[in-house]
Amino acid sequence: MQKRSFLHATLLGAALFAGFAAQAQTVEPKAVVQHYSALVYANYSDVLTSAQTLQKAITAFTAAPSAQGLEDAKKAWLAAREFYGQTEAFRFYSGPIDDDNGPEGRLNAWPLDESYIDSVVGKPKAGIVNNPKIKINKASLAKLNERGGEENIAAGWHAIEFLLWGQDLSETLPGQRSFEDYVDGKTPNADRRRAYLTTVTELLIDDLSFLVKAWTPGAKNYRAKFEQGGIQSVRKMIVGLGSLSRGELAGERLEVAMNTQDKEDEHSCFSDNTHRDVVANAQGIENVWLGSYKRLDGSMVQGASLKDLVAAKNAGLADKVSKQIAQSVANANAIQAPFDREIVGAKDAPGRIRVQKTIDSLVQQSKDITEAAAALGITKLAQAK
């Protein structure tokens, strides 16, 4: 009787395994696209929630400037960046974030000319803050963003970052702006500086709300069209991952800084948060590939993924891509703060070796992602419209 039960259990287990295997083989592009939409919505929603926490901290600080209030606002900015950085994987295919009318240029543009916004060392009267002829409101800041040059950044995460931290004038510390820059009678135009910080944060909230709306389920929006796109929407997902891997993260954000060894070319130079930006970007790629995302509340979003789709065609290739992406995340985590010291020195300097390993891994993963796309019959990856 025991032998028969064992045999029955073995056969049942084999049948269940075969059923699961068959289910894995039948993953459809539509399911992957629908889950991606849910993941994007969850991530943008978390960014908006964390940015609203930042807004509350900034509102409290500007109402009664203090050293602790400024510190609280900084911590809230850093916390929100962890979630925004992961959304960079949703770019580069003319989606809501960066189509012709998208807000990306107002959200995360860099590098930033500090003197376009406020006073800097040697230029005490520089910037919009110190020009009383310029009205400080959302419309004017949006209009002034990137006017006359792509470094003339007036809005977004890095404008807020500069207003909180100030210039990074130290080799070992981030910017050391005093809260007294926001106190009337202590620093010229403190009232306009308070108004600027409050207003630019409101604009950030507006732009993030726009993105959440574009991906909200059950609405006539971008998400509804995207979910009907089939394999073309899968192609967009892959374009996003490949473009962030090679051109943007490995290239613009790491190789450029490595070549110039200039802190002005690091992503979050005022707060010395660039090392975390790199990790968040790499993590965002892994999120999309695995169909997995850890939310602000600690819960997990998990479902049909690009990996599943590729594994149905070539399991070995899917595993190879997964391992390479995981290696990139690990290498990114190994980069030490401050990033502007990691990039300085000879080729064999420990920091430069750590950054170069990350670059090399990202370059390889972009090649692997291209190979994965080919396995799905997707070959045109230059730009997804």
Side-chain angles (χ1 to χ4, degrees), residues 22 42 51 75 85 91 169 172 212 230 245 251 270 272 291 334:
K75 287 179 180 177
R91 288 184 55 201
L169 303 173
T172 56
V212 171
S245 295
F270 312 117
D272 276 348

Side-chain angles (χ1 to χ4, degrees), residues 70 74 77 112-121 123 126-130 153-169 174-178 181-182 193 196-197 200 264 267-272:
L70 182 57
K74 289 178 181 179
W77 186 93
L112 178 155
D113 178 2
E114 304 98 308
S115 65
Y116 187 66
I117 294 177
D118 199 358
S119 56
V120 294
V121 173
K123 295 180 180 180
I128 296 166
V129 167
N130 298 297
I153 308 303
W157 291 105
H158 299 297
I160 297 170
E161 179 194 10
F162 169 57
L163 287 165
L164 293 177
W165 273 272
Q167 284 180 283
D168 181 10
L169 303 173
Q176 298 293 302
R177 184 187 289 278
S178 169
D181 282 1
Y182 292 88
R193 193 169 291 108
Y196 198 123
L197 179 56
V200 76
E264 292 298 319
H267 201 155
S268 296
C269 63
F270 312 117
S271 61
D272 276 348

Side-chain angles (χ1 to χ4, degrees), residues 38-52:
L39 189 153
V40 173
Y41 175 68
N43 199 164
Y44 276 136
S45 296
D46 286 344
V47 178
L48 177 58
T49 299
S50 57
Q52 287 167 336

Side-chain angles (χ1 to χ4, degrees), residues 198-233:
T198 300
T199 304
V200 76
T201 305
E202 290 174 358
L203 188 57
L204 180 83
I205 296 296
D206 287 352
D207 286 336
L208 292 173
S209 297
F210 165 82
L211 294 172
V212 171
K213 188 176 180 181
W215 288 97
T216 297
K220 292 182 178 179
N221 55 6
Y222 181 84
R223 175 175 177 164
K225 296 175 184 176
F226 185 85
E227 290 187 347
Q228 297 302 314
I231 197 68
Q232 286 305 312
S233 291

Side-chain angles (χ1 to χ4, degrees), residues 303-354:
S305 66
L306 284 173
K307 180 188 177 183
D308 295 336
L309 208 56
V310 174
K313 301 287 185 180
N314 186 331
L317 175 59
D319 285 340
K320 183 175 81 165
V321 177
S322 298
K323 289 176 182 177
Q324 191 61 48
I325 291 176
Q327 187 61 58
S328 295
V329 174
N331 288 341
N333 271 295
I335 295 173
Q336 298 180 14
F339 179 84
D340 54 22
R341 301 313 301 164
E342 289 284 88
I343 59 176
V344 174
K347 191 175 181 179
D348 60 352
R352 288 181 66 83
I353 289 173
R354 285 188 287 269

Side-chain angles (χ1 to χ4, degrees), residues 244-308:
L244 177 57
S245 295
R246 181 61 189 99
E248 187 70 18
L249 186 51
E252 293 292 330
R253 302 187 183 188
L254 294 179
E255 285 177 337
V256 170
M258 284 279 279
N259 290 337
T260 64
Q261 300 193 29
D262 187 347
K263 68 173 63 180
E264 292 298 319
D265 288 319
E266 67 163 317
H267 201 155
S268 296
C269 63
F270 312 117
S271 61
D272 276 348
N273 193 55
T274 302
H275 64 298
R276 291 304 309 168
D277 287 333
V278 177
V279 172
N281 292 171
Q283 184 63 59
I285 294 168
E286 186 171 54
N287 292 348
V288 173
W289 174 253
L290 298 178
S292 176
Y293 165 65
K294 186 176 182 180
R295 298 208 58 175
L296 177 62
D297 64 6
S299 64
M300 293 298 298
V301 175
Q302 185 73 55
S305 66
L306 284 173
K307 180 188 177 183
D308 295 336

